[in-house]
Amino acid sequence: MGLFTRKSESEAPAPKPADAAAPAAQAPSDKSPPAPRPASSPPPAKSPEPPAPSGGGGHAPRGKADPLANERAQKFQNLKTEIHRKLVDQLDMTKLAQNVTDEIREQVMQIVLALCEEAGGLLNFNERQKLAKEILDETFGLGPLETLLSDPEISDILINGPKQVYIEKRGRLQLSDVKFKDNAHLLHVIDKIVSPLGRRCDEVCPMVDARLKDGSRVNAIIPPLAIDGASMSIRRFGKDPITWDDYIRFKSCSPEMVEFLKACVHAGLNIIVAGGTGSGKTTLLNNLSSFIPDDERIVTIEDAAELQLRQPHIVRLETRPANIEGKGRIAIRDLLINALRMRPDRIVVGECRGGETLDMLQAMNTGHDGSMTTIHANSTRDAVQRVETMVMMAGFDLPTRAIRQQFASAVHLIVQAARLTGGPRKIIAITEVQGMEGDVVTMQDICKFEQDGVSANGKAYGRLVATGVRPGFYDRLRSSGAVIDTDWFVARDLVVDEG
């Protein structure tokens, strides 16, 4: 194998005890986060669940110690560490990291299986396959997380220290069987995620936002801020992104609502997507952006790049945290101000959460029609108050009435997303911003969700209804060339979800 070159004896690492977590030159300390590792460094080994004895016996009852199983698990761990060290001694990991293919993975798999045979451990066929897979996950992937990331039904991965990993599956949280060897192992995986992005997570910068290759959002916080060990949350961005067809199939919205939103985006209306944490705001923004015509120039601005727009003319911008000296930070507001000089037709901001909201409203009011963003708010009325608060964070002493006038003239539509009891995510309101009456921003619902109750399995159910209100920008939709069906605005049930 051309990429696999055996190291000379002078390059081989010094031998160390069999129960070590990683080669001596690379072993991380439990008391401090590991320094970024070169591609050739072997990752720490995962502590697997004790394999069942080859005779077919079951595991000990949960909560009771099984000395035999623990001893077997420790032997399995020691063997895995020993084989991993031998693998690193034989292969040029730098070249492997640059060119990982299915063929190379298979070749490495065969080498690992051969090393298992040489070790002579009391492992059956299934255990050898399991050990080989775990070593490959550590070498080429994110170790214990690879099993969870390969499951498309898992939407969130919540890691509370090395021994407690929760997952959200089909809207419900549950404790998984995945564990890390120790806190140093978890810190190594975090470093493996953030290092390719030019970010760091250590005692100087103990918090970090990052993303996986598929766009999944990652947040990590480590000791001393996280008392019980490093904590990490991964908001999955599935391999098959949710589309409008999925929204309709899940009864999250109706076909009429999709056509109406499409007409609004084509007409260049400024839209805010509001919702709580985990309500699906980013996914909804991504789908709304899919309606932007291909002949327009789009600039996207995000903390961690998640949007996956398919138009040909896109400029993607991402914020940058401060360096170790506390300098060099580039915030969303800085990128937004710069984006105004880039001749964008539309600006799409992943999320407004501070003073950049004022700049976003000004951009919407100065010729960048059709711009979109998301904010955290529990209702469309709360969205107005949230915008007021965030504009004040810009540092200007603006009167409340002036802020509301900016909002009323800049924003045309608020789309409210929510995660209901039991896990279903729905578009619960499409609200038009009409203008000002005195000091109050006036709004009217075009569509809304009316919850009728909670089913026996704990899932909320209800109806999406059209309120019978025709929006004030109706003529603007027609003049933009959109084909408008007046039946969209007839008061009726659009979708009935019986749970």
Side-chain angles (χ1 to χ4, degrees):
M1 293 176 290
L3 291 173
F4 307 157
T5 57
R6 184 180 297 273
K7 297 181 179 179
S8 65
E9 293 183 2
S10 61
E11 293 177 315
K16 56 176 299 187
D19 59 351
Q26 304 294 339
S29 168
D30 287 338
K31 296 182 179 180
S32 63
R37 301 175 182 271
S40 60
S41 301
K46 168 189 168 186
S47 176
E49 289 294 312
S54 57
H59 295 286
R62 184 177 293 272
K64 295 184 179 181
D66 185 342
L68 184 61
N70 289 339
E71 180 182 358
R72 186 172 180 82
Q74 186 61 46
K75 289 181 179 179
F76 186 91
Q77 176 66 35
N78 293 343
L79 181 60
K80 176 180 170 183
T81 303
E82 178 185 352
I83 293 174
H84 198 174
R85 188 183 305 118
K86 290 181 179 179
L87 177 67
V88 173
D89 291 345
Q90 291 192 22
L91 304 182
D92 187 337
M93 304 302 293
T94 303
K95 291 184 179 179
L96 284 180
Q98 296 172 351
N99 185 24
V100 179
T101 64
D102 291 340
E103 181 182 357
I104 289 177
R105 287 180 66 94
E106 181 59 31
Q107 292 174 354
V108 175
M109 182 77 158
Q110 296 305 318
I111 294 176
V112 173
L113 291 175
L115 291 173
C116 288
E117 293 291 345
E118 291 177 9
L122 297 177
L123 297 177
N124 59 35
F125 175 79
N126 290 334
E127 289 170 342
R128 289 198 301 271
Q129 293 290 327
K130 179 175 182 289
L131 185 147
K133 181 182 182 303
E134 291 180 3
I135 292 178
L136 258 66
D137 287 343
E138 294 285 0
T139 304
F140 297 113
L142 299 178
L145 292 180
E146 288 297 319
T147 300
L148 302 180
L149 294 173
S150 63
D151 187 344
E153 293 186 347
I154 295 177
S155 56
D156 285 280
I157 302 172
L158 308 174
I159 303 169
N160 308 327
K163 303 299 182 183
Q164 192 180 69
V165 179
Y166 280 88
I167 59 173
E168 182 186 82
K169 202 168 185 177
R170 299 175 183 174
R172 295 188 181 277
L173 279 177
Q174 54 189 279
L175 182 64
S176 75
D177 294 329
V178 170
K179 292 180 175 64
F180 294 82
K181 181 182 183 341
D182 50 29
N183 197 57
H185 186 195
L186 176 54
L187 289 172
H188 174 82
V189 172
I190 293 174
D191 182 68
K192 206 169 182 181
I193 292 172
V194 304
S195 293
L197 304 177
R199 304 192 177 192
R200 56 185 296 160
C201 190
D202 51 30
E203 287 182 344
V204 178
C205 304
M207 298 183 294
V208 66
D209 283 316
R211 67 180 187 279
L212 301 181
K213 292 180 180 179
D214 64 359
S216 298
R217 182 189 306 172
V218 178
N219 175 268
I221 182 168
I222 66 173
L225 302 186
I227 298 173
D228 299 322
S231 176
M232 180 166 59
S233 61
I234 301 177
R235 179 69 54 79
R236 295 289 306 283
F237 205 102
K239 294 180 180 178
D240 298 318
I242 293 177
T243 64
W244 286 114
D245 290 337
D246 296 319
Y247 273 84
I248 295 171
R249 181 162 51 87
F250 296 146
K251 298 185 177 180
S252 296
C253 68
S254 70
E256 295 89 345
M257 294 166 64
V258 175
E259 290 299 319
F260 174 70
L261 291 172
K262 181 178 181 180
C264 292
V265 174
H266 269 285
L269 301 187
N270 297 321
I271 300 174
I272 287 180
V273 178
T277 300
S279 60
K281 300 185 299 298
T282 303
T283 300
L284 183 54
L285 178 64
N286 200 55
N287 279 285
L288 286 172
S289 301
S290 68
F291 294 140
I292 298 176
D294 289 345
D295 59 350
E296 297 191 18
R297 176 176 169 85
I298 308 166
V299 176
T300 67
I301 303 172
E302 302 172 83
D303 273 327
E306 298 176 89
L307 296 175
Q308 296 182 349
L309 277 64
R310 297 177 177 84
Q311 289 83 351
H313 199 167
I314 298 176
V315 179
R316 304 172 69 209
L317 306 179
E318 187 176 56
T319 61
R320 186 180 71 184
N323 60 20
I324 193 171
E325 298 175 350
K327 301 178 181 179
R329 179 174 182 264
I330 305 296
I332 283 183
R333 188 172 189 186
D334 303 315
L335 295 177
L336 186 50
I337 293 172
N338 186 77
L340 298 177
R341 307 185 183 105
M342 299 174 67
R343 201 267 178 207
D345 290 312
R346 304 193 191 219
I347 298 175
V348 180
V349 177
E351 181 179 347
C352 284
R353 57 167 69 95
E356 67 272 5
T357 308
L358 175 60
D359 300 289
M360 188 69 193
L361 293 181
Q362 290 178 326
M364 290 176 170
N365 268 323
T366 54
H368 301 93
D369 292 338
S371 295
M372 292 178 270
T373 187
T374 72
I375 63 172
H376 278 82
N378 293 326
S379 68
T380 52
R381 178 56 61 182
D382 286 348
V384 180
Q385 298 172 356
R386 279 277 296 155
V387 168
E388 290 179 21
T389 302
M390 291 188 292
V391 168
M392 293 177 183
M393 294 168 66
F396 299 104
D397 189 16
L398 297 175
T400 301
R401 180 177 175 82
I403 297 174
R404 292 177 180 174
Q405 286 176 331
Q406 279 268 357
F407 178 88
S409 61
V411 179
H412 301 104
L413 203 66
I414 301 176
V415 182
Q416 182 73 33
R419 178 181 175 183
L420 306 178
T421 303
R425 295 174 172 87
K426 294 184 182 295
I427 297 176
I428 62 169
I430 298 177
T431 303
E432 177 193 9
V433 179
Q434 295 176 294
M436 293 278 292
E437 285 188 7
D439 291 338
V440 179
V441 177
T442 58
M443 301 186 295
Q444 62 180 1
D445 290 334
I446 298 171
C447 305
K448 64 180 181 179
F449 177 75
E450 296 180 352
Q451 183 171 330
D452 295 330
V454 178
S455 64
N457 60 3
K459 184 179 177 182
Y461 63 90
R463 296 165 292 119
L464 280 166
V465 301
T467 60
V469 173
R470 180 180 293 186
F473 50 74
Y474 176 80
D475 291 336
R476 178 171 175 175
L477 297 182
R478 291 183 62 88
S479 62
S480 69
V483 179
I484 306 298
D485 189 342
T486 54
D487 289 343
W488 293 353
F489 310 112
V490 175
R492 68 191 192 284
D493 291 345
L494 297 173
V495 176
V496 178
D497 184 3
E498 298 177 350

